[in-house]
Amino acid sequence: RTLAIEMIDEFQAAGECEFIRDFALQLPIAIFLKLTGLPASDRLKLLEWTEYVTRGTVEQHQEGFLRMDEYIRALVAARKANPGTDLISAIVGAKVAGRTITDDEIFAMCRVVLFGGLDTVASTMGFMAHFLATHPDHLKQLVDQPSLVPNAVDEMLRRFGVSATGRVLTRDFDYKGIHFKQGDRVYVF
């Protein structure tokens, strides 16, 4: 909250901002780097690789994955050698159902966390801001009734959440009369 207020104060005097560049890319990434224990100096290259993977050409896509994968492997090795209290260290030391997760699982989880922290939150914030900017009645309702904001955030996260990660079922599962089989692929918002 403090960081968000500081950032808003910086561009409030101008009366405008470019929301993604000035806020949505700045706030979550600053928080993300702190949570993961990554240096702020890595921000620009991480953002560039994420942009390549999510919106780049075929060549940029491959380049982005190559660079990010190299970064993740070095990061995991560093946290194995010297664990800390950050999110990446928690993943490296994680256990699931009493067993230590495998190196492949660690790598996959770190990849999801990095792409999620570097792109998904900013994109979701952009979709939410666009919705409010193009639906002034909804925006006015939230301004006039701030008690509605928490529920509105939940609903907008549900509606505009960016997710591109499918899952594979590890066991048969029934949900509301629908039978899923082990090995089925699902995409869950």
Side-chain angles (χ1 to χ4, degrees):
R1 177 181 283 255
T2 301
L3 179 58
I5 290 168
E6 288 172 4
M7 292 174 68
I8 292 167
D9 285 347
E10 287 180 20
F11 55 72
Q12 186 175 19
E16 65 182 22
C17 72
E18 198 296 311
F19 182 76
I20 298 296
R21 182 194 65 228
D22 297 338
F23 190 75
L25 275 175
Q26 304 305 319
L27 178 69
I29 291 168
I31 294 167
F32 174 77
L33 292 173
K34 188 171 184 173
L35 287 171
T36 54
L38 299 176
S41 59
D42 287 355
R43 182 178 70 82
L44 292 178
K45 69 181 175 186
L46 290 169
L47 285 173
E48 178 181 45
W49 300 335
T50 302
E51 183 70 19
Y52 283 177
V53 169
T54 56
R55 287 173 281 283
T57 65
V58 171
E59 293 79 18
Q60 288 174 325
H61 183 84
Q62 292 170 341
E63 172 83 10
F65 264 120
L66 177 67
R67 297 290 170 238
M68 189 66 86
D69 289 355
E70 289 172 350
Y71 185 88
I72 292 169
R73 290 188 199 294
L75 177 61
V76 168
R79 291 304 194 279
K80 281 185 173 187
N82 188 19
T85 58
D86 59 276
L87 179 59
I88 302 300
S89 294
I91 293 169
V92 168
K95 292 187 178 197
V96 175
R99 71 164 177 84
T100 302
I101 62 176
T102 68
D103 287 344
D104 287 343
E105 290 167 331
I106 291 169
F107 175 81
M109 183 68 70
C110 287
R111 186 189 250 186
V112 168
V113 165
L114 261 68
F115 283 117
L118 294 167
D119 181 70
T120 305
V121 176
S123 294
T124 300
M125 288 173 67
F127 286 123
M128 293 166 85
H130 180 266
F131 174 80
L132 292 173
T134 57
H135 293 82
D137 292 345
H138 288 288
L139 177 59
K140 182 174 180 351
Q141 183 181 29
L142 295 176
V143 169
D144 292 344
Q145 300 174 56
S147 63
L148 298 176
V149 169
N151 189 58
V153 170
D154 287 347
E155 288 301 313
M156 286 190 286
L157 281 172
R158 185 178 59 77
R159 171 63 180 88
F160 300 114
V162 178
S163 177
T165 305
R167 300 285 188 248
V168 178
L169 273 74
T170 60
R171 61 182 170 86
D172 289 357
F173 183 74
D174 288 309
Y175 179 74
K176 295 186 178 184
I178 301 170
H179 180 71
F180 295 93
K181 296 179 184 171
Q182 180 179 345
D184 282 351
R185 295 182 179 276
V186 294
Y187 183 81
V188 181
F189 284 101

